[in-house]
Amino acid sequence: MTSTNQDIEQLLLLCKSSNQRAQLEVYNRYNKAMYNTAYRIVKDSYKAEDIMQESFLTAFTKLNTLEDTKLFGAWLKRIVVNNSIAHYNKTSKQNEVPLEHVMYKVEDDNGIEEHSQNSDKVKQIMSVMKTLKPNYNLGLSLHLIEGYDYEEICEIMDISYANCRTMISRAKESLRKKLMQTV
């Protein structure tokens, strides 16, 4: 049985013994989804790639702490989200101005799923989401795109449950209003 045919549990067993082929196979299976997750939060393709790489390194070094190998994908995604949020919080505290606000650049669709790229509505929504306040954009991305529930978002963003519900409700309303203006 070649490594491409092995299920994730067998691959992770090999990864625990530092098998580089198994690590590469796991990386190849998950890297696009993890990049997209990071990109939707940090909004910078280079930073998203760095965060994804760091997250894989963390996952491979802490693989022994994973109790159920069937949950590897969710565990890895959680590492990526946590690293992305940490970067987001760090840059927002430093008041860095994103490069896209300084220079014009050709937009890419790295954060949108392949099958959705042709949908004008999806492009419009994603574009309008970028104009929302940063915490609204982040909250909506985590909730609507990444699928996190309010409790998880509270933990990630370090806010109260009531604050989270209010923020997401206001973010949705702000998104609706801005979408209505573009029609």
Side-chain angles (χ1 to χ4, degrees):
M1 178 184 290
T2 64
S3 64
T4 56
N5 295 331
Q6 294 172 332
D7 68 350
I8 192 68
E9 292 175 25
Q10 292 170 319
L11 282 170
L12 293 176
L13 202 58
L14 292 170
C15 287
K16 284 181 183 180
S17 62
S18 300
N19 182 312
Q20 290 182 344
R21 281 189 164 176
Q23 290 174 340
L24 181 61
E25 178 62 28
V26 170
Y27 176 84
N28 288 335
R29 288 186 186 190
Y30 289 94
N31 73 332
K32 287 182 181 138
M34 296 306 126
Y35 169 83
N36 286 337
T37 297
Y39 181 79
R40 284 190 287 265
I41 295 171
V42 299
K43 308 283 188 273
D44 180 319
S45 62
Y46 296 111
K47 289 291 182 191
E49 196 169 317
D50 286 346
I51 289 168
M52 178 199 59
Q53 297 287 344
E54 290 171 20
S55 298
F56 272 102
L57 287 173
T58 301
F60 288 139
T61 57
K62 297 188 179 200
L63 202 51
N64 290 328
T65 65
L66 180 63
E67 294 174 13
D68 186 357
T69 54
K70 292 177 185 166
L71 300 175
F72 177 76
W75 181 68
L76 178 61
K77 184 175 181 179
R78 184 66 163 179
I79 292 171
V80 171
V81 167
N82 288 342
N83 288 344
S84 299
I85 294 291
H87 177 270
Y88 172 84
N89 288 337
K90 182 178 144 192
T91 57
S92 66
K93 286 179 184 168
Q94 293 174 349
N95 294 326
E96 290 182 1
V97 177
L99 188 59
E100 62 267 10
H101 292 256
V102 177
M103 297 175 22
Y104 290 103
K105 73 172 195 164
V106 178
E107 288 292 322
D108 56 13
D109 295 321
N110 291 334
I112 300 175
E113 294 289 329
E114 192 74 28
H115 60 83
S116 300
Q117 284 184 347
N118 298 328
S119 170
D120 291 334
K121 190 70 174 168
V122 170
K123 288 179 183 177
Q124 180 187 13
I125 291 169
M126 294 300 286
S127 175
V128 172
M129 277 182 64
K130 289 178 183 176
T131 67
L132 297 175
K133 292 189 339 188
N135 62 330
Y136 284 7
N137 186 4
L138 179 59
L140 282 180
S141 292
L142 290 171
H143 185 61
L144 300 175
I145 297 171
E146 301 301 330
Y148 285 102
D149 61 24
Y150 291 142
E151 289 86 7
E152 292 170 317
I153 295 170
C154 291
E155 211 175 290
I156 292 168
M157 294 182 73
D158 194 28
I159 57 177
S160 70
Y161 186 81
N163 191 2
C164 179
R165 287 182 52 109
T166 302
M167 179 195 62
I168 290 178
S169 174
R170 289 179 180 168
K172 286 179 181 177
E173 185 59 30
S174 180
L175 180 63
R176 270 189 219 101
K177 286 179 181 175
K178 287 187 178 218
L179 286 171
M180 294 301 286
Q181 291 173 355
T182 61
V183 175

